[in-house]
Amino acid sequence: TTFGNVAKTAGVERIVYLGGLHPDGELSEHLASRVEVGRILLDSGVPTAVLQAAVVLGAGSVSFEMLRNLSERLPGAIAPRWVRNRIQPIAVADLLHFLVAAADLPPELNRTFDIGGPDVLTYADMMKRYAQARGLGPRLVITAPVTTPRLGARWVGLVTPIPTGFAEPLVGSLLHDTVVKEHDLVDLVGPPPGGAL
């Protein structure tokens, strides 16, 4: 709220905020918080574009580091049930294209936009694809009926260097299907150069 008020007072012409892609209904605390921040900025009086993305694939993304570590360390795993949820990840280069392009949207646009890559996958599929791309061989993932973020985060903390406290909000987000519902930003600013990765 303070940021929105100061931005309005300073004459900022556009806010671009990266939020989380989410389904309708009850959300994890992490996703609900990101949705709330987006709503506050949209109500700030400064034209705002809230870009909603799922897992970001590329350097600098903690979600990607979790995926990378799980894929590299586990040739086979009994994993929590959330590894079967549907996710529409986006490459970091494509995300940057949309973040930069959204800064030049017309001032009358004050809304959310879903952004994602061309594929809808499960987390298990992403682990298998990452392993294949790295030449690590096939990955076997069997699911167990574990659904709580705390237990899932402990599992991540046991098999990766990502601290459990860091993993818990990310795992909480993975409890939901996170799939793009509209492609309006692509229609407004165009796809990334060369197409989505």
Side-chain angles (χ1 to χ4, degrees), residues 139-156:
R139 293 301 189 251
L140 175 65
V141 180
I142 300 168
T143 55
V146 177
T147 56
T148 67
R150 179 160 290 163
L151 286 175
R154 284 187 183 159
W155 175 74
V156 170

Side-chain angles (χ1 to χ4, degrees), residues 104-156:
D104 293 324
L105 288 170
E108 64 271 16
L109 288 175
N110 186 63
R111 55 165 288 194
T112 62
F113 295 95
D114 290 356
I115 57 172
D119 301 316
V120 176
L121 308 162
T122 67
Y123 200 86
D125 290 335
M126 288 194 292
M127 289 172 66
K128 291 173 184 176
R129 283 195 184 188
Y130 176 89
Q132 182 181 20
R134 289 290 309 256
L136 300 175
R139 293 301 189 251
L140 175 65
V141 180
I142 300 168
T143 55
V146 177
T147 56
T148 67
R150 179 160 290 163
L151 286 175
R154 284 187 183 159
W155 175 74
V156 170

Side-chain angles (χ1 to χ4, degrees), residues 41-166:
L41 294 175
L42 288 167
D43 292 340
S44 69
V46 177
T48 298
V50 176
L51 278 53
Q52 301 179 140
V55 172
V56 177
L57 300 176
S61 164
V62 177
S63 296
F64 177 72
E65 291 304 317
M66 188 168 82
L67 171 71
R68 182 179 69 79
N69 278 283
L70 288 172
S71 303
E72 290 180 354
R73 292 166 184 248
L74 299 174
I78 298 174
R81 190 166 54 195
W82 51 259
V83 298
R84 298 289 180 205
N85 290 352
R86 297 168 64 241
I87 301 168
Q88 193 162 355
I90 186 168
V92 69
D94 295 350
L95 172 65
L96 291 172
H97 162 77
F98 289 120
L99 287 170
V100 171
D104 293 324
L105 288 170
E108 64 271 16
L109 288 175
N110 186 63
R111 55 165 288 194
T112 62
F113 295 95
D114 290 356
I115 57 172
D119 301 316
V120 176
L121 308 162
T122 67
Y123 200 86
D125 290 335
M126 288 194 292
M127 289 172 66
K128 291 173 184 176
R129 283 195 184 188
Y130 176 89
Q132 182 181 20
R134 289 290 309 256
L136 300 175
R139 293 301 189 251
L140 175 65
V141 180
I142 300 168
T143 55
V146 177
T147 56
T148 67
R150 179 160 290 163
L151 286 175
R154 284 187 183 159
W155 175 74
V156 170
L158 283 172
V159 296
T160 75
I162 296 170
T164 300
F166 223 146

